[in-house]
Amino acid sequence: MSEPQTSSNNADVATLRPPPRHIAIIMDGNGRWAKARGLPRALGHKEGVEALRRAVEASRELGLTHLSVYAFSTENWNRPQTEIDALFDLLRVFVRRDLARLQKDGVRICIIGSREGLSADILSLIDEAMEKTRDNTRLTLNIAFNYGGRGEIVAAMQEIARAVEAGRLKPDQIDEAMVSRMVWTGESPDPDLVIRTSGELRLSNFLLWSGAYAELMFMDLWWPDFTRESLEKAIDAFRRRDRRFGGLGA
Ligand code: IPE
Ligand code: IPE
Ligand code: MG
């Protein structure tokens, strides 16, 4: 990760900004992590789940209120079926194995994305995880699974159009706050920081609405190598940035 040394990005310790409350992560680079070790890609994804466990634990300990992770995009259907199957199996394993501990740790699980194309067993697992943890307040873990940012906006538009058609809503009543509530991340505040691992410099259709003003951070490591220190480093860099929101800043 490189932080340009400009005055706006170089706050000293005394002027550290508040820490982020909501971090979103594009967990990328599992395949290349495996390839570099001569291992099958599926093992990279398996190791990626370990990194996710570390990230959840660290987020909780570091006082985040929300962590959103990109686990399967609507574009990932373009991968070979064997890889898709492996990724779906990992979601099953993660929810089954970790649900009890996450529940005990006060983590609320929200699986966000389209339900289209998902099998009945995955859908009921998702429903069970969300239902069982709905009252937890320590950390909300949004798992973006079968998620696409454009699809999320289209789904909100369809819902709005239906309400207008039914006479429950007038076009003038549609505003940004309403759309923010209707997108899949609607129950979470906007992310303060979006991190992408693997060195790729793109959003790949992640959080296009709610991430509109997020700080972006691209880290040069593969997701399975992400540790608590990586998260601490990202938070520290975030706190040295000047968020201006179109104004003149601090
Ligand atoms: C991220 O790792 C996991 C998913 C996209 C599901 P990748 O599988 O994209 O790994 P690379 O980018 O090929 O290394
Ligand atoms: C983004 O990674 C999706 C997830 C991390 C789930 P990809 O590896 O699928 O993105 P591209 O193909 O590099 O844009
Ligand atoms: Mg990738």
Side-chain angles (χ1 to χ4, degrees), residues 27-32 41 45 71 76 79 83 87:
M27 309 185 289
D28 195 23
N30 295 348
R32 280 163 286 174
R41 290 178 59 85
H45 296 312
N76 287 147
R79 296 193 179 195
E83 173 146 348
L87 289 165

Short mmCIF file of all heavy atoms in Angstrom, two decimals, residues 27-32 41 45 71 76 79 83 87, ligand 1:
data_model
loop_
_atom_site.label_atom_id
_atom_site.label_comp_id
_atom_site.label_asym_id
_atom_site.label_seq_id
_atom_site.Cartn_x
_atom_site.Cartn_y
_atom_site.Cartn_z
N MET A 27 -11.97 -8.97 -0.83
CA MET A 27 -10.99 -10.00 -0.44
C MET A 27 -10.46 -10.66 -1.71
O MET A 27 -10.98 -11.68 -2.15
CB MET A 27 -11.68 -11.04 0.44
CG MET A 27 -12.47 -10.47 1.61
SD MET A 27 -13.16 -11.76 2.69
CE MET A 27 -14.46 -12.45 1.67
N ASP A 28 -9.42 -10.09 -2.29
CA ASP A 28 -8.97 -10.57 -3.60
C ASP A 28 -7.55 -11.14 -3.53
O ASP A 28 -6.73 -10.69 -2.73
CB ASP A 28 -9.02 -9.39 -4.60
CG ASP A 28 -8.92 -9.87 -6.03
OD1 ASP A 28 -9.23 -11.05 -6.30
OD2 ASP A 28 -8.53 -9.06 -6.90
N GLY A 29 -7.30 -12.12 -4.39
CA GLY A 29 -5.95 -12.67 -4.52
C GLY A 29 -5.79 -14.09 -4.01
O GLY A 29 -4.67 -14.60 -3.93
N ASN A 30 -6.90 -14.75 -3.69
CA ASN A 30 -6.81 -16.14 -3.20
C ASN A 30 -6.17 -17.06 -4.24
O ASN A 30 -5.35 -17.91 -3.91
CB ASN A 30 -8.21 -16.70 -2.90
CG ASN A 30 -8.89 -15.98 -1.76
OD1 ASN A 30 -8.27 -15.21 -1.05
ND2 ASN A 30 -10.18 -16.24 -1.59
N GLY A 31 -6.58 -16.88 -5.50
CA GLY A 31 -6.08 -17.74 -6.57
C GLY A 31 -4.58 -17.57 -6.76
O GLY A 31 -3.84 -18.56 -6.87
N ARG A 32 -4.13 -16.33 -6.77
CA ARG A 32 -2.70 -16.08 -6.98
C ARG A 32 -1.87 -16.52 -5.78
O ARG A 32 -0.74 -16.97 -5.92
CB ARG A 32 -2.47 -14.60 -7.30
CG ARG A 32 -2.78 -14.28 -8.76
CD ARG A 32 -2.96 -12.82 -9.02
NE ARG A 32 -4.24 -12.34 -8.49
CZ ARG A 32 -4.60 -11.07 -8.47
NH1 ARG A 32 -3.77 -10.15 -8.93
NH2 ARG A 32 -5.79 -10.73 -8.01
N ARG A 41 -6.42 -23.61 -6.75
CA ARG A 41 -7.07 -22.35 -6.36
C ARG A 41 -8.00 -22.54 -5.16
O ARG A 41 -8.12 -21.66 -4.30
CB ARG A 41 -7.88 -21.79 -7.53
CG ARG A 41 -7.02 -21.26 -8.67
CD ARG A 41 -7.90 -20.77 -9.83
NE ARG A 41 -8.81 -19.72 -9.39
CZ ARG A 41 -8.49 -18.42 -9.33
NH1 ARG A 41 -7.30 -18.02 -9.74
NH2 ARG A 41 -9.37 -17.53 -8.90
N HIS A 45 -8.80 -20.29 -1.62
CA HIS A 45 -10.07 -19.82 -1.06
C HIS A 45 -10.23 -20.30 0.39
O HIS A 45 -10.73 -19.57 1.24
CB HIS A 45 -11.24 -20.31 -1.92
CG HIS A 45 -11.24 -19.75 -3.32
ND1 HIS A 45 -11.07 -18.41 -3.56
CD2 HIS A 45 -11.37 -20.34 -4.53
CE1 HIS A 45 -11.10 -18.20 -4.88
NE2 HIS A 45 -11.27 -19.35 -5.48
N ALA A 71 -17.54 -11.60 -0.91
CA ALA A 71 -17.20 -13.03 -0.93
C ALA A 71 -17.50 -13.68 -2.28
O ALA A 71 -16.82 -14.62 -2.69
CB ALA A 71 -17.96 -13.76 0.17
N ASN A 76 -18.85 -13.37 -10.64
CA ASN A 76 -18.08 -14.60 -10.38
C ASN A 76 -18.77 -15.85 -10.94
O ASN A 76 -18.16 -16.93 -10.99
CB ASN A 76 -17.78 -14.77 -8.88
CG ASN A 76 -16.74 -13.81 -8.35
OD1 ASN A 76 -16.78 -13.37 -7.20
ND2 ASN A 76 -15.75 -13.47 -9.18
N ARG A 79 -16.95 -17.90 -13.61
CA ARG A 79 -15.84 -18.83 -13.33
C ARG A 79 -16.27 -20.27 -13.63
O ARG A 79 -17.45 -20.57 -13.72
CB ARG A 79 -15.41 -18.69 -11.87
CG ARG A 79 -14.87 -17.30 -11.61
CD ARG A 79 -14.15 -17.20 -10.29
NE ARG A 79 -13.64 -15.85 -10.12
CZ ARG A 79 -12.74 -15.50 -9.24
NH1 ARG A 79 -12.24 -16.40 -8.42
NH2 ARG A 79 -12.33 -14.25 -9.15
N GLU A 83 -15.02 -24.24 -9.52
CA GLU A 83 -14.60 -23.18 -8.59
C GLU A 83 -15.82 -22.57 -7.89
O GLU A 83 -15.78 -22.28 -6.69
CB GLU A 83 -13.80 -22.11 -9.34
CG GLU A 83 -13.48 -20.92 -8.44
CD GLU A 83 -12.15 -20.26 -8.73
OE1 GLU A 83 -11.34 -20.82 -9.47
OE2 GLU A 83 -11.93 -19.16 -8.19
N LEU A 87 -16.51 -22.36 -3.85
CA LEU A 87 -16.82 -21.13 -3.11
C LEU A 87 -18.14 -21.27 -2.34
O LEU A 87 -18.25 -20.81 -1.20
CB LEU A 87 -16.89 -19.94 -4.08
CG LEU A 87 -15.52 -19.52 -4.65
CD1 LEU A 87 -15.69 -18.60 -5.85
CD2 LEU A 87 -14.68 -18.83 -3.57
C1 IPE B 1 -10.89 -13.61 -4.37
O1 IPE B 1 -9.80 -14.28 -4.89
C2 IPE B 1 -12.04 -14.52 -4.08
C3 IPE B 1 -13.16 -14.38 -5.02
C4 IPE B 1 -13.21 -13.58 -6.04
C5 IPE B 1 -14.29 -15.25 -4.78
P1 IPE B 1 -9.69 -14.62 -6.44
O2 IPE B 1 -10.26 -15.98 -6.68
O3 IPE B 1 -10.26 -13.56 -7.29
O4 IPE B 1 -8.12 -14.69 -6.60
P2 IPE B 1 -7.28 -14.13 -7.82
O5 IPE B 1 -7.69 -12.72 -8.04
O6 IPE B 1 -7.59 -15.01 -8.99
O7 IPE B 1 -5.86 -14.26 -7.37
#
